[in-house]
């Protein structure tokens, strides 16, 4: 039968005859009031500690997961994938805002489709309480949690994310429990004091043992609950704290037990969010990396080897753009499902499969050590790549989906888990370069290439300062009139260790190492100086002559670099110089809308915009019509085989289309008089190539110009 505290006290007081009314009332009032005050303060203090610690632990897990997922998209400036990741996080953890920024603290994504705040400094946003931080940081203000965490690619800091979110429901449970303790404690105290006062009027004396019994029965359970609160705040393990008594304090203990169970459920959900990819249900990059490092530490190199496979979908961006993100998500889920099926049906059944992020998947598996290990791994990789494609093509809508795979082997290639992840990525990159839809195993040639690329990237700044990189100029003629009308600036690098480096070699390296912007700014600066020297020492009219400079994707999409180029354009305009900026079709496809806006700005600042290598990328009529361009440079591959009927048809079609859109066409790579005459016959008079002149430094260029004018 349930008995309340007031009922038990009434029964106790019936036998108390020892102490006066005043002593009993005053002593117990002071005792219980003090106890209630201490319990309330202690409970509030310890539960607040538990609250703050729970917030920090959960947000650390979530922020680390977000950082891992953003590594590859931020490195590749994949704005679509960055937006998808922010949207996925917002579904599970409602965000007030989320700003992804680069290593300079400039915003590259704000979670909106239009990216309104692109290029703004993260520190300039008023509602951001935490800016760029070298490590995880958290700040709690009122009912908001502000979080900042850096994003790393290997050991390189490439950016970070700052966001704010509301408290989770389990935090509300903690606060609710704290309020319930205070409410129930005050209720219990009020009832106790009421009955003591009422009974003391009737009974004059109380016994000393009764006071002790009262203190033990009332304060003991409350002290036990206070101890439980301290255990929760310290994160100590606990199973069951329910008190057996059937009264108000027992109700409090059961509320505490319910809250504890809810916290455990919430923690399990957080662990799932931190280690499992929501879209595919596979382990995410963080979980995969931890498991791979554990496997590397535990495997026996003398008897076995760990093989790491990394794969992604060929042209996945085109799938998203053409079929929509829903189909893209279905494709990723299907790949995860097919990978598991293939592994279960083959020698890879013990493989650990993971979605590493975006369209990238990984798996690792043990192989027995043998002299033919590399051959076995290569055959397994080819089988995996072919089987995955076949499995995918059996499903509706997946017929055109293919994957590329790269792999590396522990012991043979590296004994470090992080290094193996990097080497497998390099092998995947090589598979893409080999035409996609294939498998590549890391080998010594790739290792040497990786070392070479690293050395070239590291030596760039020194070579630029030492004059090992120079600017050469190739003349551009109007073949119909014979007039010299301009020149293209071309970077030439004579490396002190490797000798002459072709632009096709060093340009991609500088782009991947984020140094291409420095080369572009240097090239424009040197071109301005060369133009002043040319006009000073020749009879060329600056208003009838132009210089063109090549730009990369980073120059167009990086706001800080784009502003630096704008400043140089204003400098050239002030000097009366005409500059043309050359971009490739492919470089514009990463973010066509933003690229279009930037090109329009440069054109408004006096620059002409040229499309370089036209015909080798995403050529389309809408592309030509919408971009603010002046000139098309027809790729030299069409000029090389100019006698081919197909190439002649393309040359004629490009000329007709350009003329209808009021665009100029320039033929590059002209090497013979026959090529030059055929181009003119199709209406392409602007030409560049060895037939007219070879690239040379500015002094030789000036000499050649003056010699040509004297001869004329």
């Amino acid at each position: 039968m349930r008995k309340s505290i007031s009922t038990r006290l009434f029964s106790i007081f019936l036998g108390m005859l020892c102490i006066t009314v005043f002593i009993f009332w005053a002593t117990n009032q002071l005792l219980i009031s003090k106890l209630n005050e201490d319990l309330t303060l202690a409970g509030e203090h310890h539960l607040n500690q538990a609250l703050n610690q729970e917030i920090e632990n959960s947000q650390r897990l979530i922020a680390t997961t977000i950082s891992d997922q953003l590594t590859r998209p931020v490195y590749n400036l994949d704005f679509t994938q960055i937006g998808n990741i922010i949207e996925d996080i917002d579904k599970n953890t409602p965000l007030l805002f989320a700003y992804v920024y680069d290593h300079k603290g400039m915003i590259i994504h704000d979670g909106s489709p239009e990216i309104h705040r692109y290029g703004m400094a993260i520190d300039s946003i008023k509602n951001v309480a935490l800016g760029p931080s070298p490590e995880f940081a958290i700040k709690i203000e009122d009912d908001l949690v502000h979080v900042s965490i850096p994003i790393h690619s290997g050991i390189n800091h490439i950016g970070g994310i700052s966001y704010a979110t509301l408290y989770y429901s389990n935090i509300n449970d903690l606060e609710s429990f704290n309020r319930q303790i205070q409410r129930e404690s005050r209720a219990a105290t009020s009832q106790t004091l009421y009955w003591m006062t009422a009974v003391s009027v009737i009974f004059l004396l109380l016994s000393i043992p009764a006071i002790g019994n009262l203190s033990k029965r009332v304060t003991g359970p409350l002290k036990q609950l206070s101890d439980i609160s301290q255990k929760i705040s310290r994160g100590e393990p606990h199973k069951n704290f329910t008190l057996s008594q059937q009264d108000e304090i027992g109700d409090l203990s059961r509320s505490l037990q319910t809250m504890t169970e809810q916290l455990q459920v919430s923690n399990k959900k957080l662990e799932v969010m931190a280690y499992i990819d929501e879209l595919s249900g596979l382990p995410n990059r963080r979980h995969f990396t931890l498991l791979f490092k554990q496997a590397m530490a535990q495997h026996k190199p003398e008897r076995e080897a760990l093989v790491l496979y990394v794969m992604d979908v060929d042209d996945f961006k085109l799938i998203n753009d053409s079929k929509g993100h829903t189909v893209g998500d279905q494709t990723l889920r299907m790949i995860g499902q097919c990978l598991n099926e293939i592994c279960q049906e083959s020698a890879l059944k013990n493989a650990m499969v993971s979605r590493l992020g975006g369209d990238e998947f990984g798996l690792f598996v043990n192989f027995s050590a043998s002299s033919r290990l590399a051959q076995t791994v290569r055959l397994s990789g080819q089988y995996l790549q072919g089987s995955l494609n076949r499995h995918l093509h059996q499903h509706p809508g997946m017929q055109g989906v293919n994957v590329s795979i790269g792999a590396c082997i522990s012991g043979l290639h590296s004994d470090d888990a992080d290094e193996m992840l990097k080497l497998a990525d390099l092998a995947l990159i090589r598979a893409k370069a080999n035409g996609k839809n294939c498998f590549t195993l890391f080998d010594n040639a790739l290792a040497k290439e990786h070392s070479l690329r690293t050395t070239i990237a590291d030596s760039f700044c020194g070579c630029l300062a030492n004059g090992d990189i120079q600017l050469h100029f190739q003349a551009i003629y109007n073949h119909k009139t014979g007039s010299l009308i301009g020149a293209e600036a071309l970077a030439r690098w004579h490396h002190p260790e490797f000798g002459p480096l072709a632009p096709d070699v060093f340009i991609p390296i500088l782009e991947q190492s984020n140094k291409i912007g420095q080369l572009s700014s240097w090239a424009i600066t040197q071109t301005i100086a060369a133009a002043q020297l040319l006009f000073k020492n020749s009879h060329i009219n600056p208003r009838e002559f132009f210089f063109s400079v090549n730009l990369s994707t980073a120059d167009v999409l990086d706001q800080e670099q784009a502003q630096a180029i704008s400043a140089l354009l204003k400098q050239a305009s002030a000097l009366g110089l005409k500059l043309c900026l050359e971009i490739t079709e492919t470089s514009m496809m990463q973010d066509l809308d933003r690229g279009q806006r930037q090109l329009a700005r440069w054109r408004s600042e006096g620059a002409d915009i040229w499309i370089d290598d036209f015909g080798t990328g995403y050529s389309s009529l809408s592309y030509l019509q919408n971009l603010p361009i002046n000139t098309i440079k027809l790729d030299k591959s069409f000029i090389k085989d100019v006698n081919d009927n197909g190439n002649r048809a393309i040359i004629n079609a490009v000329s007709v289309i350009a003329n209808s859109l009021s665009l100029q066409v320039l033929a590059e790579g002209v090497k013979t008089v026959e090529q030059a005459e055929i181009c003119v016959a199709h209406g392409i008079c602007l030409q560049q190539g060895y037939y007219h002149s070879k690239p040379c430094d500015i002094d030789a260029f000036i000499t050649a110009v003056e010699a040509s004018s004297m001869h004329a």
Side-chain angles (χ1 to χ4, degrees):
M1 180 179 178
R2 176 186 176 95
K3 293 183 179 180
S4 66
I5 292 178
S6 58
T7 302
R8 292 202 303 272
L9 287 176
F10 181 81
S11 300
I12 293 172
F13 290 158
L14 290 177
M16 295 180 179
L17 299 173
C18 300
I19 303 175
T20 64
V21 172
F22 175 79
I23 295 175
F24 167 77
W25 183 87
T27 301
N28 282 278
Q29 184 181 42
L30 290 174
L31 175 66
I32 295 176
S33 297
K34 179 62 176 174
L35 177 62
N36 179 62
E37 180 181 353
D38 292 344
L39 177 63
T40 300
L41 292 175
E44 182 176 357
H45 172 72
H46 293 302
L47 288 174
N48 281 337
Q49 286 185 339
L51 170 67
N52 291 335
Q53 189 63 45
E54 189 68 22
I55 294 172
E56 182 173 348
N57 291 341
S58 62
Q59 288 301 323
R60 184 183 297 274
L61 284 173
I62 293 172
T64 304
T65 301
I66 297 174
S67 175
D68 290 341
Q69 292 178 346
L70 287 173
T71 297
R72 186 178 179 91
V74 171
Y75 182 84
N76 293 326
L77 289 176
D78 189 342
F79 300 96
T80 300
Q81 187 60 28
I82 293 173
N84 291 341
I85 291 173
I86 294 175
E87 182 179 350
D88 289 343
I89 296 300
D90 188 57
K91 292 177 182 177
N92 298 286
T93 306
L95 303 176
L96 272 72
F97 62 81
Y99 299 113
V100 180
Y101 50 87
D102 61 19
H103 65 287
K104 298 177 182 178
M106 309 301 290
I107 294 175
I108 62 176
H109 211 297
D110 59 8
S112 66
E114 298 81 10
I115 318 180
H116 297 292
R117 300 194 176 184
Y118 176 86
M120 297 178 64
I122 185 67
D123 291 331
S124 67
I125 307 300
K126 293 183 179 180
N127 62 343
V128 177
L130 290 175
S133 172
E135 58 185 14
F136 170 82
I138 184 170
K139 184 176 182 181
I140 301 172
E141 291 183 341
D142 299 326
D143 60 342
L144 295 181
V145 179
H146 294 268
V147 176
S148 176
I149 190 168
I151 300 173
H152 292 91
S153 176
I155 62 173
N156 297 320
H157 174 237
I158 61 173
I161 179 171
S162 293
Y163 65 87
T165 182
L166 296 172
Y167 287 0
Y168 293 117
S169 60
N170 61 294
I171 296 176
N172 292 328
D173 291 338
L174 277 169
E175 294 177 336
S176 176
F177 172 68
N178 190 20
R179 291 192 296 269
Q180 186 176 355
I181 284 181
Q182 297 178 15
R183 185 169 58 252
E184 295 288 350
S185 181
R186 285 195 298 268
T189 301
S190 298
Q191 286 192 4
T192 300
L193 292 176
Y194 170 79
W195 280 105
M196 284 192 298
T197 303
V199 172
S200 63
V201 173
I202 302 172
F203 300 98
L204 299 177
L205 299 173
L206 299 173
S207 65
I208 298 298
I211 296 176
N213 185 50
L214 173 65
S215 177
K216 181 178 179 181
R217 294 178 65 86
V218 175
T219 64
L222 294 177
K223 180 62 168 61
Q224 186 176 355
L225 291 181
S226 178
D227 292 341
I228 293 171
S229 298
Q230 295 183 46
K231 287 184 178 181
I232 293 176
S233 67
R234 293 194 297 266
E236 295 181 6
H238 44 274
K239 294 183 179 179
N240 192 339
F241 296 104
T242 303
L243 301 179
S244 59
Q245 59 198 77
Q246 297 296 315
D247 55 21
E248 290 84 351
I249 298 177
D251 291 341
L252 286 178
S253 71
R254 285 180 284 277
S255 296
L256 176 59
Q257 179 64 27
T258 300
M259 182 212 69
T260 302
E261 293 170 354
Q262 291 175 348
L263 284 178
Q264 291 173 347
V265 172
S266 297
N267 286 335
K268 289 180 180 178
K269 290 181 179 179
L270 289 175
E271 290 178 2
V272 171
M273 290 177 59
Y275 293 109
I276 300 298
D277 173 59
E278 182 182 9
L279 180 65
S280 65
L282 297 173
N284 60 16
R285 176 180 288 272
R286 175 182 174 84
H287 195 188
F288 181 80
T289 303
L290 290 174
L291 294 175
F292 183 54
K293 288 182 177 180
Q294 291 175 5
M296 285 288 290
Q298 295 170 3
H299 90 290
K300 298 177 174 58
E302 67 279 3
R303 291 189 299 179
E304 58 188 11
L306 273 176
V307 178
L308 174 63
Y309 297 93
V310 175
M311 64 206 74
D312 68 10
V313 183
D314 296 335
D315 301 318
F316 183 69
K317 185 177 186 300
L318 292 180
I319 296 175
N320 268 338
D321 292 345
S322 61
K323 298 183 179 180
H325 291 284
T326 299
V327 175
D329 289 347
Q330 291 174 351
T331 301
L332 296 177
R333 279 192 291 267
M334 187 62 65
I335 290 175
Q337 178 183 331
C338 291
L339 275 175
N340 277 325
E341 292 175 357
I342 294 169
C343 290
Q344 291 300 318
E345 297 170 357
S346 66
L348 303 174
K349 62 183 178 181
N350 294 322
M352 168 58 67
V353 181
S354 166
R355 182 189 174 208
L356 300 180
D359 63 323
E360 187 177 14
F361 292 80
L363 66 87
F364 66 85
V365 65
N366 269 319
F367 278 78
S368 297
S370 70
S371 58
R372 304 183 62 184
L373 177 61
Q375 182 179 356
T376 302
V377 171
R378 186 174 287 105
L379 291 174
S380 296
Q382 292 169 349
Y383 167 79
L384 177 63
Q385 194 266 339
S387 296
L388 184 53
N389 283 346
R390 286 192 295 272
H391 273 66
L392 288 172
H393 297 167
Q394 292 173 2
H395 297 276
M398 300 291 171
Q399 287 72 22
V401 178
N402 295 304
V403 298
S404 298
I405 302 179
C408 62
I409 306 170
S410 67
L412 182 61
H413 299 136
S414 176
D415 290 318
D416 180 75
D418 290 327
E419 181 69 12
M420 284 190 66
L421 287 165
K422 183 190 301 182
L423 300 184
D425 269 333
L426 290 174
L428 175 59
I429 293 172
R430 170 56 62 87
K432 295 287 190 182
N434 288 342
K436 305 176 183 178
N437 191 23
C438 62
F439 168 81
T440 298
L441 178 64
F442 187 83
D443 56 20
N444 290 333
L446 265 175
K448 291 179 181 178
E449 179 182 334
H450 175 57
S451 176
L452 173 65
R453 294 171 70 88
T454 301
T455 302
I456 290 175
D458 292 343
S459 64
F460 167 70
C461 293
C463 288
L464 192 64
N466 294 333
D468 297 321
I469 303 176
Q470 296 184 348
L471 213 58
H472 285 195
F473 299 88
Q474 186 174 31
I476 298 174
Y477 283 86
N478 184 322
H479 184 68
K480 187 174 183 179
T481 63
S483 303
L484 174 64
I485 58 174
E488 179 181 4
L490 302 166
R492 294 293 182 261
W493 188 348
H494 193 283
H495 198 279
E497 181 178 353
F498 305 116
L501 297 176
D504 290 345
V505 173
F506 68 80
I507 294 297
I509 294 174
L510 296 181
E511 287 179 332
Q512 293 173 9
S513 58
N514 295 322
K515 296 179 180 178
I516 192 66
Q518 187 175 351
L519 178 67
S520 299
S521 296
W522 171 85
I524 296 176
T525 302
Q526 294 296 311
T527 298
I528 292 174
Q532 292 178 287
L533 190 63
L534 172 65
F535 299 143
K536 180 179 179 181
N537 294 280
S538 71
H539 296 87
I540 291 179
N541 186 345
R543 287 174 293 184
E544 299 177 355
F545 196 90
F546 60 80
F547 282 90
S548 69
V549 182
N550 292 279
L551 298 184
S552 75
T553 305
D555 296 316
V556 180
L557 299 182
D558 184 287
Q559 186 172 19
E560 184 176 346
Q561 175 62 16
Q563 290 174 348
I565 292 175
S566 292
L568 292 172
L569 291 177
K570 293 176 182 177
Q571 178 183 341
S573 179
L575 295 171
L577 308 179
K578 185 177 182 181
L579 291 183
C580 306
L581 304 180
E582 297 188 26
I583 59 169
T584 63
E585 300 171 85
T586 306
S587 68
M588 289 298 298
M589 295 309 296
Q590 190 171 105
D591 193 333
L592 184 58
D593 291 338
R594 192 148 57 93
Q596 182 177 352
R597 292 194 297 270
Q598 184 55 57
L599 296 183
R601 290 192 195 98
W602 284 337
R603 186 164 180 180
S604 68
E605 292 165 353
D608 282 355
I609 307 299
W610 292 9
I611 295 295
D612 195 12
D613 300 331
F614 183 78
T616 61
Y618 300 89
S619 306
S620 71
L621 294 178
S622 62
Y623 181 83
L624 294 177
Q625 187 176 14
N626 294 328
L627 285 179
I629 59 177
N630 308 86
T631 302
I632 298 170
K633 291 188 72 174
L634 189 61
D635 187 69
K636 59 187 177 183
S637 62
F638 300 108
I639 308 302
K640 180 180 179 181
D641 297 322
V642 73
N643 289 316
D644 179 80
N645 290 333
N647 284 342
R648 284 199 182 193
I650 292 175
I651 292 172
N652 184 66
V654 171
S655 177
V656 171
I657 292 172
N659 184 61
S660 66
L661 295 174
S662 300
L663 300 176
Q664 295 187 104
V665 181
L666 187 153
E668 55 181 344
V670 177
K671 293 185 177 181
T672 67
V673 64
E674 180 186 17
Q675 293 171 345
E677 293 297 335
I678 290 176
C679 287
V680 172
H682 288 287
I684 303 178
C685 300
L686 305 186
Q687 298 177 11
Q688 174 185 355
Y690 282 11
Y691 170 71
H692 296 287
S693 70
K694 294 182 178 181
C696 58
D697 62 35
I698 188 59
D699 293 331
F701 187 82
I702 293 173
T703 301
V705 168
E706 285 301 286
S708 176
S709 63
M710 291 177 62
H711 180 70

